[in-house]
Structures are given as C-alpha cells and as structure tokens.
Amino acid sequence: MATIEVNGAQLAYDEAGNGSPVVLVHAGIADRRMWRGQLTALATRHRVIVPDLRGYGDSELPPAPFAHHDDVIGLLDALGVERAALVGCSFGGRVAVDTALAYPERISALALFGAPVSGNEWSEETEQLWEELVGDVDPADFAATAAGEVRFWVVGPTRKPEDVDPELIRFAEEMDRRALAAEQALSAVEVGELDPPAIDRLSELRMPVLVGAGADDLADIRRLADRIAAEAPHGVRLPDVPDTAHLLPLEKPEPVNAALLDFLP
C-alpha cells in the first residue's frame, strides 16, 4: 500500500505493472481489496492503480467538500497519468461514469460491472425485494446491516446464502462493515454530485465502453447494463456471468480478467 495527497486528502492505493494505465474503482460495500483477483492479472500488460475512495478503506476523509469524480482525476494528476482506462464495480462504476462525463479527455476506456448510474431511480420491484430479503435493520448495527446488504447484493435475489462460497460472504461482510463506517462519516461531509447526472447523458460516453453483470444480480442492474451499452456510441454488452451476483470481479475473476485483457487499450 502507498498513499498520495489528492485534493487535500491522503488516498491509499495499490499499484503494479507497466503499460497503459488502468484505475480500478471499488464498490460502495467494499474497498480496494475487492480487486485482489485483478491486480496481478492485469499488471501483466498494464499499469494498474487501485485506490480506496476518499473515506473508504485506508483513505482519509478531511471535513472539506469534495467529489469522488474529481478525486479520480486528482489521483491521475498526482501520479503523472495523462489518460487512463477506468474499471468500476457497483458504486465504483457510477463514479467511473461520472468521471468519464466530467473529464472525457482523460479517460481512454470504461469498463463497468454491476454499475448504477447517477440520476437513476430504483424500481418498485427492487424496493420490494429489499423488504423481503432484508427488511428493517438498525443502521447503527453495522454487523447486522452488513449481513443484510451482503445477502441482498452479494448473494443476490435468485440465490440462497448456502449456494455461495462462505469465504466470499465472510470477506464481503468484513469489507462492508468498514464501508458502512465510511458512509456514516461521509454523511457529515459535503459530497459533490455530477450535474446534470449521468442517466440522460450516456450518449456522451464517446470512449469504448464495456458493460457486464452477474446473472444473479438485480434485474434493475441488468436492465441498466443493457441501457448503458445501447446508448453509449461504442458500448459493448458482455453476456451475464452465470451463478454470480453484484460483486462480479471478486466472485468470478477469471471471466472478468479475460474480458478486460481483451478490451483494455
């Protein structure tokens, strides 16, 4: 692990390899460790940079206003990177899309896995699924909340916990407990949003865009993957990966790595 100052905050990151730069942006229920299956594999051809977003993992959270998409570009500036590909999962995909729209000249390609988009609204179907699978959880109880979120996202609506590797569940819950503490701290800081948001601007994504999802992820996520790939001028939709939910790169690194090595410039 290394740290570097970005827009007044010390951000933690891992780095490996040489070649064209690629930045991996983690999910909101995780931290940079979720990319453990990608770092070495991609480093055979690329300079791979894996940060903790501000407030998450080992990165700082000063009380000043900021925006995650500005931090991504600030990280590139601090590391002397002119242009990079962005790979994002879940919330990290949302950050990656916002970054690509705010700074299109800095992003060479975009790969998204299970990505929501700023300005998108969840369907009533998803809201009902949350009630059925998780229900009311005390937000102050990080352990219970993490267990509920992992049930919803990592196990997914079409699988049962016993169908999923228990080590994956354990690791995801451990990351999510830390992420929940990060989100609590972030709620006290002014976090800037892309304006206008990305949902009606997908046609502005002029760089190559690769979009994937797990077959057991939410229907909303899979439909959104279809929309991103259809509206981005150079969008490509990967087939859904079987027996996988929201943290696709962590759960099934092999097909993700193969797709990325084929796609990344």
Side-chain angles (χ1 to χ4, degrees):
M1 181 190 84
T3 61
I4 195 165
E5 183 171 339
V6 173
N7 298 331
Q10 288 290 326
L11 298 192
Y13 68 100
D14 297 320
E15 183 174 353
N18 296 291
S20 59
V22 54
V23 180
L24 312 182
V25 191
H26 63 79
I29 61 171
D31 53 50
R32 73 183 194 280
R33 292 175 295 165
M34 70 157 284
W35 299 106
R36 62 188 184 183
Q38 281 70 50
L39 181 60
T40 301
L42 298 183
T44 58
R45 300 184 193 171
H46 299 277
R47 179 185 180 186
V48 186
I49 301 161
V50 191
D52 279 329
L53 293 172
R54 187 185 300 218
Y56 289 86
D58 296 307
S59 289
E60 288 184 342
L61 183 64
F66 79 100
H68 287 299
H69 54 274
D70 292 336
D71 274 0
V72 172
I73 298 303
L75 177 65
L76 297 184
D77 290 342
L79 293 174
V81 176
E82 184 176 348
R83 295 180 81 231
L86 296 184
V87 180
C89 177
S90 185
F91 176 71
R94 169 177 164 151
V95 171
V97 170
D98 285 354
T99 305
L101 289 170
Y103 302 93
E105 72 285 354
R106 303 294 300 274
I107 308 305
S108 59
L110 200 57
L112 309 169
F113 299 99
V117 173
S118 59
N120 183 60
E121 296 185 4
W122 298 112
S123 67
E124 185 176 334
E125 171 192 4
T126 292
E127 303 288 350
Q128 290 175 346
L129 269 173
W130 178 270
E131 291 303 316
E132 293 171 12
L133 296 175
V134 182
D136 292 328
V137 179
D138 180 359
D141 186 340
F142 288 170
T145 303
E149 289 191 342
V150 168
R151 170 66 185 89
F152 188 76
W153 292 110
V154 180
V155 176
T158 58
R159 298 191 293 183
K160 297 178 181 178
E162 54 267 30
D163 299 330
V164 179
D165 180 1
E167 169 57 23
L168 173 67
I169 292 176
R170 184 209 63 76
F171 182 51
E173 288 185 2
E174 190 269 316
M175 285 195 296
D176 195 23
R177 287 193 295 271
R178 292 187 72 188
L180 288 164
E183 289 172 2
Q184 184 180 68
L186 283 160
S187 68
V189 178
E190 182 182 336
V191 183
E193 300 284 348
L194 186 70
D195 184 24
I199 189 62
D200 293 320
R201 301 174 60 188
L202 299 174
S203 63
E204 297 176 31
L205 295 171
R206 299 291 177 176
M207 66 289 296
V209 179
L210 183 72
V211 192
D216 295 293
D217 206 344
L218 299 178
D220 272 5
I221 289 290
R222 290 181 281 110
R223 284 192 290 263
L224 191 52
D226 293 341
R227 178 174 174 181
I228 296 168
E231 295 187 17
H234 308 290
V236 174
R237 177 72 159 91
L238 290 170
D240 288 344
V241 178
D243 192 29
T244 313
H246 200 54
L247 294 189
L248 171 56
L250 177 63
E251 188 171 5
K252 290 288 195 308
E254 292 83 3
V256 169
N257 294 346
L260 288 174
L261 287 168
D262 185 56
F263 168 75
L264 290 171

